[in-house]
Amino acid sequence: LDADEEELFKILLDTLKHFQLSTTLRVAGGWVRDKLLGKESHDIDIAVDDMLGRELAEKVNEYLQLLGRETRSVGVISTNPEQSKHLETATMRVGAIEVDLVNLRSESYAEDSRIPEMSFGTAEEDALRRDLTINSLFYNINTGLVEDVTGKGVPDLRAGLVRTPLPPLTTFLDDPLRVLRSVRFATRFGFAYDDDLVQAGSSNEVRSALGSKVSPERVGKELEGMFKGPRPARAVEDLYRMKLLPVVFALPKADASPPPGIAEGVRQHFGPCVVLSIDAVWRCISAYPLPEGKLEGELRRLALLAGCFLPLRDVTYAAPKNKQLPVSGYVIRESLKLRTKDGDQTILLHECAPKMKELICQLCPEACTAAGIQRTPAADETMHLRVQLGMLLRQLKELWRVAVVLAVCIDAPGAQGVGELEDSEVVAKLEALGQEQRDTAADALAASRATLCMAVAAEVKRMGLEEVWNLKPLLSGRDIMHVTQAKGPQVGVLTTKALEWQLANPDASKEEALAWLAQSHAAPPP
C-alpha cells in the first residue's frame, strides 16, 4: 500500500470504530487485480456488507468533521436497470483518493422480468455476480487479507485467463456490456479467453441483448478503453471473431426511413476489412522508432478510429432531406455516441488521406516503393509541391501526422475499401493474422511505412511548413478588394490564390504580394 491508501484505509477503520459499526469493508475488483499483477491502480471501489455506500460516505464525512478535517460532498449515481446499471454508487474524496462505495449485493429475477431485484448479499454472492473472475477478488480492509471467494480469481490471474465466475451466458445476459469488457481486459493484459466465454459471447442471444439493452454511450466508452490499451487491433479482431463487430459498429438499419441504400456486400465485408485496416494502421504507429512525431494520446486515438473506418471512406447512406452522408460519421455519432467532433475529424481525414498519398509519392518516391505504396498520378502536377502540401496541412492542422499514417496504409489489404477483396481472399488474410510468418512480413512492411512517415515529417520541416496553419496571410480581404475590386465569393477565391502564391514564395514581402496581385488580377480600367 502507498501512503495515501494507508491513510484512506485507516480513516475508514477509525470511522467504523468511532460509530461502533460491525461493518466489513472490502476493496473490490480492479484495484486488487492490479496490485496482484504489480501494477499501479487508483481505481478504488469499496464494497460494504451491511449498509448502502452513501450511508457509509455520510458517516466518513461526519467523522472527518469531528477531526476538523476537510470534507467533500458525496455524489450518488442512481440505479438504471433498463440500461443494466443495477447498483447505486456513492462517490467521495478522502484525502488524496477518490473512492466509489457500493453495497455487496445479491440479485434475483422474477420469472417474467429481466430486471433483477437487489438485496444485500454476501461477499460470495457479490463476487459471483461480477463480470470476470480476475475482477471478483477482494481486499478485506478489516483483516488486511486478499479474498478469492470464487476460488478462480488468483489461478486465472496466474494462468492469464479471462473467464466469468458464473456460466458466461448467465453473466453476459445479466449485463451484455460484460462481453465487451472481457475483450477489453483480455487485450489489455494479453490474456486468453475461456472457450465457454467465446461460445457464449458469440451467441445470438448475447448479440441481440447487447444491441437492445446497452446504451450506445456505454458501448462507445468500452471501445475507447480498448483503444487506450496496448493491443487495440487485437481487440477489434476479437470483436469480429465473436461476431460482435456488426453490433458495436452498427450501420444504419436496412429498414430505416429513408432506406439507407447500403449494399449487402458492404454489410457482409466491412467487418473483415475493418480488422485488416486497423491492423495495418496500428502496426505502423507501433513501428515508429522515435518519440518525436510518434502518435500519442488524442492523435493516436483518432488514428485508430479513422483507421477502423478507412475501408468505409467512400460508403454513404441516404439520410433525411435527400442527403448522402458518410457511413463512418453515422457509426461514430449514432452507434458509439462519441463526440460530433470525432465524426467530423474522421471524415476530414478520410477525405485528405488519398491527396496526402499523392503528395507523399512525389515527396519520397523511393521510400514509397519500399513501403509497397502504389503510385497514383497527382491531380495537379503543375502546382508547386510546397503549395499543395502547405494548403493540405492548413486544412488538417494538427491532424496532418494522422493523415500521413492513413495515407501510407491506404493500400493495405482491407484499407483500400469494402468490396476490394473476394470472400476467399478475406478469409485467407484474416486467418493469416497472428501467424508468426505473416507477423514478421507485416512488421517489416510496417517498419517501412513508419520510416516513410518520418521522411514525410522531415520534408515538412525542411520546407518550413510546420504549423503552417498558423501562417498569417500577407494580404487581407480588404487588400484584395482594393486592388481587384472583387466582391462576394470572388474575394474568397482570390484570397486562396494569394495564399498559394505566398506558399510558393515564402520569403516575399507584402509589397511584392500586392505587386503580384496587381499584375495578375488587377481590376479592369473603368
Side-chain angles (χ1 to χ4, degrees):
L1 303 181
D2 64 29
D4 291 332
E5 291 163 344
E6 287 183 351
E7 181 190 20
L8 168 65
F9 296 161
K10 183 179 185 303
I11 289 171
L12 293 173
L13 292 176
D14 288 348
T15 299
L16 299 185
K17 184 177 179 181
H18 176 80
F19 291 105
Q20 298 181 335
L21 300 173
S22 59
T23 305
T24 299
L25 303 178
R26 295 174 171 89
V27 185
W31 181 88
V32 188
R33 176 202 66 224
D34 290 348
K35 285 287 185 180
L36 291 176
L37 289 172
K39 301 177 182 294
E40 283 295 314
S41 177
H42 304 287
D43 182 18
I44 297 185
D45 297 333
I46 296 176
V48 188
D49 68 340
D50 62 356
M51 67 175 75
L52 293 174
R54 59 180 162 83
E55 294 174 331
L56 176 63
E58 289 164 359
K59 291 289 187 187
V60 172
N61 268 347
E62 188 177 341
Y63 177 69
L64 289 173
Q65 285 175 341
L66 290 173
L67 297 179
R69 297 276 299 270
E70 179 186 11
T71 61
R72 304 287 183 88
S73 60
V74 176
V76 177
I77 303 171
S78 301
T79 58
N80 185 357
E82 287 296 331
Q83 294 297 338
S84 300
K85 180 66 178 174
H86 303 317
L87 280 179
E88 177 187 281
T89 304
T91 64
M92 70 181 304
R93 177 174 285 275
V94 180
I97 298 181
E98 190 85 28
V99 294
D100 290 349
L101 301 109
V102 297
N103 59 283
L104 292 174
R105 89 280 194 193
S106 174
E107 298 173 359
S108 60
Y109 291 81
E111 243 180 67
D112 58 348
S113 174
R114 63 176 176 82
I115 298 175
E117 297 175 4
M118 305 296 301
S119 59
F120 286 102
T122 64
E124 182 178 8
E125 289 171 328
D126 187 276
L128 290 174
R129 281 298 176 188
R130 291 186 177 268
D131 54 359
L132 302 170
T133 58
I134 60 173
N135 294 335
S136 67
L137 298 163
F138 295 111
Y139 173 74
N140 188 315
I141 297 175
N142 300 61
T143 64
L145 298 174
V146 172
E147 298 174 340
D148 183 6
V149 296
T150 69
K152 301 173 184 176
V154 172
D156 287 350
L157 269 183
R158 288 177 178 149
L161 184 67
V162 166
R163 64 171 163 168
T164 55
L166 291 173
L169 193 61
T170 301
T171 297
F172 291 159
L173 291 180
D174 169 26
D175 182 355
L177 190 74
R178 289 169 174 168
V179 69
L180 301 188
R181 286 174 59 82
S182 69
V183 172
R184 175 160 65 86
F185 285 113
T187 55
R188 175 179 170 184
F189 297 120
F191 285 4
Y193 298 99
D194 173 65
D195 290 341
D196 290 341
L197 183 151
V198 173
Q199 184 176 354
S202 306
S203 68
N204 289 332
E205 298 121 296
V206 170
R207 223 170 27 249
S208 175
L210 180 63
S212 62
K213 192 177 177 184
V214 179
S215 69
E217 290 87 351
R218 295 180 75 206
V219 173
K221 186 176 180 181
E222 282 301 316
L223 184 72
E224 295 267 47
M226 296 175 202
F227 280 2
K228 288 177 182 176
R231 300 171 185 86
R234 183 198 147 182
V236 174
E237 181 183 350
D238 290 354
L239 290 174
Y240 169 75
R241 294 191 185 280
M242 282 198 225
K243 304 175 185 176
L244 297 170
L245 214 53
V247 182
V248 176
F249 294 157
L251 301 180
K253 293 182 179 180
D255 59 357
S257 180
I262 299 173
E264 191 56 39
V266 170
R267 296 183 185 275
Q268 180 181 349
H269 281 120
F270 92 92
C273 289
V274 162
V275 173
L276 293 168
S277 179
I278 194 174
D279 180 70
V281 169
W282 174 240
R283 286 176 190 269
C284 180
I285 293 171
S286 302
Y288 211 91
L290 299 175
E292 183 184 357
K294 191 177 182 72
L295 298 184
E296 300 285 0
E298 183 67 7
L299 292 182
R300 174 187 186 267
R301 172 183 166 277
L302 280 169
L304 294 170
L305 194 61
C308 266
F309 300 116
L310 200 54
L312 292 169
R313 64 187 177 277
D314 295 325
V315 179
T316 61
Y317 72 101
K321 299 182 180 179
N322 296 319
K323 291 182 179 179
Q324 287 291 324
L325 300 177
V327 159
S328 56
Y330 175 91
V331 175
I332 291 169
R333 287 189 283 256
E334 302 299 330
S335 303
L336 299 171
K337 291 295 181 184
L338 300 180
R339 300 173 304 180
T340 298
K341 182 180 178 181
D342 292 332
D344 295 341
Q345 289 182 324
T346 295
I347 292 167
L348 173 65
L349 286 163
H350 288 171
E351 290 173 350
C352 293
K355 175 64 176 176
M356 182 65 79
K357 178 198 163 186
E358 290 179 9
L359 299 181
I360 290 173
C361 288
Q362 296 179 64
L363 283 168
C364 312
E366 293 181 4
C368 282
T369 302
I373 294 178
Q374 303 169 15
R375 294 195 62 183
T376 52
D380 186 354
E381 295 186 351
T382 63
M383 186 180 287
H384 198 293
L385 185 56
R386 185 179 190 275
V387 174
Q388 295 183 71
L389 186 59
M391 294 300 286
L392 188 60
L393 264 55
R394 284 180 67 87
Q395 189 178 357
L396 287 160
K397 299 183 174 64
E398 291 88 350
L399 300 182
W400 71 269
R401 290 184 185 274
V402 179
V404 170
V405 170
L406 298 181
V408 303
C409 294
I410 206 168
D411 289 333
Q416 293 177 7
V418 178
E420 50 137 332
L421 302 174
E422 297 295 330
D423 287 350
S424 58
E425 289 181 288
V426 171
V427 172
K429 291 182 184 297
L430 277 174
E431 290 306 313
L433 282 179
Q435 294 177 8
E436 185 176 349
Q437 184 177 3
R438 193 268 177 191
D439 277 353
T440 302
D443 286 343
L445 187 57
S448 297
R449 288 172 177 153
T451 300
L452 178 54
C453 290
M454 291 176 60
V456 173
E459 283 296 301
V460 169
K461 186 174 183 177
R462 183 186 65 80
M463 291 182 178
L465 292 175
E466 291 179 305
E467 298 191 9
V468 68
W469 50 92
N470 292 326
L471 177 68
K472 184 178 179 180
L474 291 173
L475 302 182
S476 67
R478 181 174 294 181
D479 294 327
I480 290 170
M481 287 189 287
H482 177 72
V483 173
T484 66
Q485 303 301 308
K487 295 180 180 179
Q490 187 62 23
V491 176
V493 172
L494 291 176
T495 299
T496 299
K497 289 184 178 296
L499 188 56
E500 290 172 350
W501 181 89
Q502 184 176 339
L503 286 168
N505 300 272
D507 299 322
S509 65
K510 180 173 181 176
E511 289 70 24
E512 290 172 314
L514 286 169
W516 162 80
L517 184 64
Q519 182 179 2
S520 57
H521 296 90

